[in-house]
Amino acid sequence: MNTGSEARQQLLDDHNAVSEVLQQLLTALDNRDVQATYSRLDLLWARLAVHIRAEHLHLFPAVLNRLSEAQPVVETLRTDHDFFMRELARAVNLLRELDEANLSAVGDTVREVAKRLASHNDIEENQIYHWASTILSEPEQTDLAARINAELENRPPRFSAEAWANRL
């Protein structure tokens, strides 16, 4: 793999990992399992926060430094990021009581986030990630990949929602 696609691939892989947690969360909601919903919701929030941090600190500045026309797209993505974090944090707070009555409201929120996340990821993958892999020099791409990797290493475990829940 050339380094130009390394950062892109890291972020694409992370999108897939976040999607897996989201699917686990939707399954827990469908099963009306309050404890599993809470653990997966908290894990989703944490995983997404790390992903967003990598984009805000490293990807977006790298692209904007070379392509000022990307500003409106980046602003839209940042607005989405704020929405995701705010709504997921609100849903986590609703479930702190581990109350089954809150599952419906949490489900509505999660489904709204999931819908918006799908179109958001499409924009990132087909525009921002593509631009980063084409407009940056080889050394810049290598540096970007290293910085993104350093951020993503702060992720909670990918496949262990139970282990993450046990830390609560």
Side-chain angles (χ1 to χ4, degrees):
M1 175 185 325
N2 72 36
T3 56
S5 64
E6 188 176 341
R8 182 180 192 173
Q9 193 60 53
Q10 289 170 320
L11 293 167
L12 288 171
D13 289 348
D14 204 50
H15 274 183
N16 290 333
V18 168
S19 291
E20 288 175 27
V21 175
L22 178 57
Q23 287 308 309
Q24 293 171 3
L25 171 57
L26 290 169
T27 298
L29 282 162
D30 289 345
N31 292 335
R32 304 201 52 79
D33 183 334
V34 176
Q35 187 65 45
T37 296
Y38 183 80
S39 70
R40 280 147 182 91
L41 178 58
D42 190 60
L43 178 61
L44 176 65
W45 179 85
R47 295 277 324 222
L48 195 55
V50 171
H51 181 88
I52 288 170
R53 180 177 165 85
E55 291 176 343
H56 280 241
L57 292 179
H58 307 294
L59 177 67
F60 294 166
V63 170
L64 290 171
N65 188 42
R66 287 295 187 87
L67 189 65
S68 61
E69 304 85 58
Q71 184 68 40
V73 174
V74 169
E75 286 307 315
T76 297
L77 296 173
R78 286 180 174 151
T79 298
D80 285 348
H81 289 164
D82 291 344
F83 170 80
F84 300 144
M85 295 287 72
R86 182 182 61 250
E87 292 303 305
L88 291 174
R90 188 172 63 80
V92 166
N93 285 331
L94 275 174
L95 280 182
R96 285 202 194 267
E97 301 297 317
L98 298 178
D99 182 354
E100 191 172 331
N102 291 332
L103 278 178
S104 180
V106 169
D108 291 346
T109 297
V110 169
R111 286 177 185 84
E112 185 178 345
V113 166
K115 182 179 176 184
R116 190 162 170 179
L117 187 60
S119 62
H120 171 91
N121 286 351
D122 186 58
I123 293 168
E124 284 184 343
E125 293 169 7
N126 293 308
Q127 292 183 30
I128 298 294
Y129 296 179
H130 173 73
W131 290 335
S133 67
T134 59
I135 64 173
L136 300 176
S137 69
E138 203 63 28
E140 288 170 324
Q141 291 175 19
T142 299
D143 179 59
L144 178 61
R147 288 184 288 125
I148 286 172
N149 187 57
E151 288 298 331
L152 295 181
E153 286 179 359
N154 294 316
R155 295 174 293 209
R158 180 175 180 169
F159 295 108
S160 182
E162 287 75 23
W164 181 246
N166 290 335
R167 65 105 180 101
L168 298 175

mmCIF file of all heavy atoms in Angstrom, residues 7-31:
data_model
loop_
_atom_site.group_PDB
_atom_site.id
_atom_site.type_symbol
_atom_site.label_atom_id
_atom_site.label_comp_id
_atom_site.label_asym_id
_atom_site.label_seq_id
_atom_site.Cartn_x
_atom_site.Cartn_y
_atom_site.Cartn_z
ATOM 1 N N ALA A 7 -3.410 6.784 5.205
ATOM 2 C CA ALA A 7 -4.292 7.562 6.085
ATOM 3 C C ALA A 7 -5.748 7.322 5.696
ATOM 4 O O ALA A 7 -6.607 7.135 6.569
ATOM 5 C CB ALA A 7 -3.958 9.047 6.007
ATOM 6 N N ARG A 8 -6.004 7.322 4.407
ATOM 7 C CA ARG A 8 -7.365 7.072 3.926
ATOM 8 C C ARG A 8 -7.852 5.702 4.396
ATOM 9 O O ARG A 8 -8.972 5.576 4.890
ATOM 10 C CB ARG A 8 -7.382 7.158 2.401
ATOM 11 C CG ARG A 8 -8.736 6.966 1.788
ATOM 12 C CD ARG A 8 -8.692 7.062 0.283
ATOM 13 N NE ARG A 8 -10.037 7.143 -0.242
ATOM 14 C CZ ARG A 8 -10.317 7.361 -1.498
ATOM 15 N NH1 ARG A 8 -9.361 7.539 -2.377
ATOM 16 N NH2 ARG A 8 -11.563 7.411 -1.887
ATOM 17 N N GLN A 9 -7.001 4.687 4.256
ATOM 18 C CA GLN A 9 -7.395 3.342 4.651
ATOM 19 C C GLN A 9 -7.618 3.239 6.162
ATOM 20 O O GLN A 9 -8.537 2.585 6.617
ATOM 21 C CB GLN A 9 -6.373 2.310 4.184
ATOM 22 C CG GLN A 9 -6.874 0.886 4.296
ATOM 23 C CD GLN A 9 -8.128 0.649 3.458
ATOM 24 O OE1 GLN A 9 -8.158 0.926 2.270
ATOM 25 N NE2 GLN A 9 -9.174 0.148 4.094
ATOM 26 N N GLN A 10 -6.771 3.926 6.931
ATOM 27 C CA GLN A 10 -6.950 3.934 8.393
ATOM 28 C C GLN A 10 -8.322 4.480 8.755
ATOM 29 O O GLN A 10 -9.030 3.914 9.601
ATOM 30 C CB GLN A 10 -5.880 4.803 9.067
ATOM 31 C CG GLN A 10 -4.495 4.236 9.045
ATOM 32 C CD GLN A 10 -3.472 5.274 9.502
ATOM 33 O OE1 GLN A 10 -3.573 6.454 9.151
ATOM 34 N NE2 GLN A 10 -2.512 4.837 10.283
ATOM 35 N N LEU A 11 -8.694 5.579 8.136
ATOM 36 C CA LEU A 11 -9.967 6.217 8.440
ATOM 37 C C LEU A 11 -11.152 5.407 7.912
ATOM 38 O O LEU A 11 -12.182 5.304 8.580
ATOM 39 C CB LEU A 11 -9.982 7.648 7.908
ATOM 40 C CG LEU A 11 -9.001 8.584 8.630
ATOM 41 C CD1 LEU A 11 -8.822 9.881 7.854
ATOM 42 C CD2 LEU A 11 -9.450 8.854 10.051
ATOM 43 N N LEU A 12 -10.995 4.796 6.740
ATOM 44 C CA LEU A 12 -12.043 3.921 6.213
ATOM 45 C C LEU A 12 -12.247 2.716 7.134
ATOM 46 O O LEU A 12 -13.390 2.342 7.434
ATOM 47 C CB LEU A 12 -11.690 3.433 4.809
ATOM 48 C CG LEU A 12 -11.764 4.459 3.682
ATOM 49 C CD1 LEU A 12 -11.173 3.882 2.401
ATOM 50 C CD2 LEU A 12 -13.184 4.918 3.460
ATOM 51 N N ASP A 13 -11.150 2.116 7.580
ATOM 52 C CA ASP A 13 -11.243 0.983 8.499
ATOM 53 C C ASP A 13 -11.926 1.399 9.796
ATOM 54 O O ASP A 13 -12.719 0.645 10.362
ATOM 55 C CB ASP A 13 -9.856 0.407 8.806
ATOM 56 C CG ASP A 13 -9.236 -0.323 7.625
ATOM 57 O OD1 ASP A 13 -9.943 -0.602 6.630
ATOM 58 O OD2 ASP A 13 -8.016 -0.599 7.694
ATOM 59 N N ASP A 14 -11.628 2.605 10.247
ATOM 60 C CA ASP A 14 -12.249 3.081 11.474
ATOM 61 C C ASP A 14 -13.739 3.346 11.264
ATOM 62 O O ASP A 14 -14.551 3.087 12.155
ATOM 63 C CB ASP A 14 -11.525 4.319 12.004
ATOM 64 C CG ASP A 14 -11.727 4.486 13.494
ATOM 65 O OD1 ASP A 14 -11.517 3.500 14.233
ATOM 66 O OD2 ASP A 14 -12.106 5.590 13.919
ATOM 67 N N HIS A 15 -14.122 3.848 10.091
ATOM 68 C CA HIS A 15 -15.549 3.993 9.780
ATOM 69 C C HIS A 15 -16.234 2.631 9.895
ATOM 70 O O HIS A 15 -17.323 2.525 10.476
ATOM 71 C CB HIS A 15 -15.755 4.517 8.358
ATOM 72 C CG HIS A 15 -15.708 6.003 8.242
ATOM 73 N ND1 HIS A 15 -15.929 6.642 7.043
ATOM 74 C CD2 HIS A 15 -15.471 6.979 9.148
ATOM 75 C CE1 HIS A 15 -15.834 7.952 7.222
ATOM 76 N NE2 HIS A 15 -15.551 8.177 8.496
ATOM 77 N N ASN A 16 -15.592 1.598 9.363
ATOM 78 C CA ASN A 16 -16.177 0.253 9.430
ATOM 79 C C ASN A 16 -16.287 -0.226 10.866
ATOM 80 O O ASN A 16 -17.299 -0.838 11.248
ATOM 81 C CB ASN A 16 -15.354 -0.728 8.590
ATOM 82 C CG ASN A 16 -15.493 -0.453 7.106
ATOM 83 O OD1 ASN A 16 -16.496 0.078 6.645
ATOM 84 N ND2 ASN A 16 -14.470 -0.801 6.357
ATOM 85 N N ALA A 17 -15.275 0.034 11.681
ATOM 86 C CA ALA A 17 -15.306 -0.387 13.084
ATOM 87 C C ALA A 17 -16.416 0.344 13.844
ATOM 88 O O ALA A 17 -17.142 -0.266 14.641
ATOM 89 C CB ALA A 17 -13.952 -0.131 13.746
ATOM 90 N N VAL A 18 -16.572 1.633 13.596
ATOM 91 C CA VAL A 18 -17.639 2.405 14.231
ATOM 92 C C VAL A 18 -19.000 1.871 13.775
ATOM 93 O O VAL A 18 -19.925 1.729 14.585
ATOM 94 C CB VAL A 18 -17.483 3.914 13.928
ATOM 95 C CG1 VAL A 18 -18.728 4.695 14.314
ATOM 96 C CG2 VAL A 18 -16.256 4.480 14.649
ATOM 97 N N SER A 19 -19.109 1.527 12.503
ATOM 98 C CA SER A 19 -20.361 0.971 11.983
ATOM 99 C C SER A 19 -20.710 -0.356 12.649
ATOM 100 O O SER A 19 -21.893 -0.643 12.897
ATOM 101 C CB SER A 19 -20.281 0.777 10.468
ATOM 102 O OG SER A 19 -20.257 2.030 9.828
ATOM 103 N N GLU A 20 -19.700 -1.169 12.940
ATOM 104 C CA GLU A 20 -19.945 -2.436 13.641
ATOM 105 C C GLU A 20 -20.531 -2.182 15.026
ATOM 106 O O GLU A 20 -21.487 -2.860 15.432
ATOM 107 C CB GLU A 20 -18.646 -3.228 13.777
ATOM 108 C CG GLU A 20 -18.149 -3.829 12.486
ATOM 109 C CD GLU A 20 -16.800 -4.509 12.647
ATOM 110 O OE1 GLU A 20 -16.483 -4.973 13.759
ATOM 111 O OE2 GLU A 20 -16.064 -4.563 11.654
ATOM 112 N N VAL A 21 -19.970 -1.218 15.746
ATOM 113 C CA VAL A 21 -20.488 -0.897 17.078
ATOM 114 C C VAL A 21 -21.905 -0.345 16.953
ATOM 115 O O VAL A 21 -22.784 -0.689 17.750
ATOM 116 C CB VAL A 21 -19.557 0.088 17.817
ATOM 117 C CG1 VAL A 21 -20.171 0.519 19.150
ATOM 118 C CG2 VAL A 21 -18.178 -0.522 18.030
ATOM 119 N N LEU A 22 -22.146 0.484 15.954
ATOM 120 C CA LEU A 22 -23.479 1.034 15.731
ATOM 121 C C LEU A 22 -24.482 -0.096 15.469
ATOM 122 O O LEU A 22 -25.595 -0.077 16.006
ATOM 123 C CB LEU A 22 -23.464 2.024 14.561
ATOM 124 C CG LEU A 22 -24.798 2.655 14.177
ATOM 125 C CD1 LEU A 22 -25.435 3.391 15.345
ATOM 126 C CD2 LEU A 22 -24.608 3.586 12.983
ATOM 127 N N GLN A 23 -24.101 -1.084 14.675
ATOM 128 C CA GLN A 23 -24.997 -2.213 14.415
ATOM 129 C C GLN A 23 -25.270 -3.005 15.691
ATOM 130 O O GLN A 23 -26.401 -3.436 15.935
ATOM 131 C CB GLN A 23 -24.421 -3.123 13.324
ATOM 132 C CG GLN A 23 -24.497 -2.513 11.936
ATOM 133 C CD GLN A 23 -25.895 -2.026 11.584
ATOM 134 O OE1 GLN A 23 -26.883 -2.751 11.703
ATOM 135 N NE2 GLN A 23 -25.987 -0.762 11.164
ATOM 136 N N GLN A 24 -24.248 -3.197 16.521
ATOM 137 C CA GLN A 24 -24.442 -3.873 17.810
ATOM 138 C C GLN A 24 -25.415 -3.077 18.684
ATOM 139 O O GLN A 24 -26.270 -3.654 19.360
ATOM 140 C CB GLN A 24 -23.109 -4.040 18.545
ATOM 141 C CG GLN A 24 -22.142 -4.983 17.893
ATOM 142 C CD GLN A 24 -20.765 -4.934 18.553
ATOM 143 O OE1 GLN A 24 -20.556 -4.225 19.530
ATOM 144 N NE2 GLN A 24 -19.840 -5.698 18.009
ATOM 145 N N LEU A 25 -25.280 -1.766 18.659
ATOM 146 C CA LEU A 25 -26.165 -0.899 19.426
ATOM 147 C C LEU A 25 -27.610 -1.018 18.929
ATOM 148 O O LEU A 25 -28.541 -1.153 19.729
ATOM 149 C CB LEU A 25 -25.679 0.549 19.343
ATOM 150 C CG LEU A 25 -26.599 1.629 19.909
ATOM 151 C CD1 LEU A 25 -26.924 1.371 21.377
ATOM 152 C CD2 LEU A 25 -25.944 2.999 19.730
ATOM 153 N N LEU A 26 -27.799 -0.990 17.623
ATOM 154 C CA LEU A 26 -29.148 -1.111 17.071
ATOM 155 C C LEU A 26 -29.768 -2.462 17.420
ATOM 156 O O LEU A 26 -30.957 -2.538 17.727
ATOM 157 C CB LEU A 26 -29.116 -0.883 15.553
ATOM 158 C CG LEU A 26 -28.813 0.560 15.132
ATOM 159 C CD1 LEU A 26 -28.528 0.634 13.639
ATOM 160 C CD2 LEU A 26 -29.951 1.499 15.520
ATOM 161 N N THR A 27 -28.958 -3.507 17.419
ATOM 162 C CA THR A 27 -29.450 -4.833 17.812
ATOM 163 C C THR A 27 -29.868 -4.831 19.280
ATOM 164 O O THR A 27 -30.933 -5.353 19.637
ATOM 165 C CB THR A 27 -28.375 -5.909 17.560
ATOM 166 O OG1 THR A 27 -28.098 -5.946 16.154
ATOM 167 C CG2 THR A 27 -28.819 -7.280 18.039
ATOM 168 N N ALA A 28 -29.055 -4.235 20.136
ATOM 169 C CA ALA A 28 -29.392 -4.160 21.561
ATOM 170 C C ALA A 28 -30.676 -3.370 21.768
ATOM 171 O O ALA A 28 -31.523 -3.754 22.590
ATOM 172 C CB ALA A 28 -28.237 -3.528 22.346
ATOM 173 N N LEU A 29 -30.848 -2.282 21.007
ATOM 174 C CA LEU A 29 -32.087 -1.507 21.094
ATOM 175 C C LEU A 29 -33.282 -2.337 20.638
ATOM 176 O O LEU A 29 -34.327 -2.337 21.296
ATOM 177 C CB LEU A 29 -31.977 -0.228 20.262
ATOM 178 C CG LEU A 29 -31.175 0.904 20.881
ATOM 179 C CD1 LEU A 29 -30.759 1.916 19.825
ATOM 180 C CD2 LEU A 29 -31.969 1.571 22.001
ATOM 181 N N ASP A 30 -33.123 -3.053 19.524
ATOM 182 C CA ASP A 30 -34.208 -3.894 19.021
ATOM 183 C C ASP A 30 -34.583 -4.980 20.025
ATOM 184 O O ASP A 30 -35.751 -5.352 20.134
ATOM 185 C CB ASP A 30 -33.824 -4.548 17.692
ATOM 186 C CG ASP A 30 -33.779 -3.547 16.545
ATOM 187 O OD1 ASP A 30 -34.317 -2.420 16.695
ATOM 188 O OD2 ASP A 30 -33.184 -3.879 15.496
ATOM 189 N N ASN A 31 -33.583 -5.465 20.767
ATOM 190 C CA ASN A 31 -33.817 -6.495 21.785
ATOM 191 C C ASN A 31 -34.293 -5.907 23.117
ATOM 192 O O ASN A 31 -34.528 -6.655 24.063
ATOM 193 C CB ASN A 31 -32.551 -7.325 22.010
ATOM 194 C CG ASN A 31 -32.202 -8.171 20.812
ATOM 195 O OD1 ASN A 31 -33.063 -8.517 20.011
ATOM 196 N ND2 ASN A 31 -30.932 -8.499 20.670
#
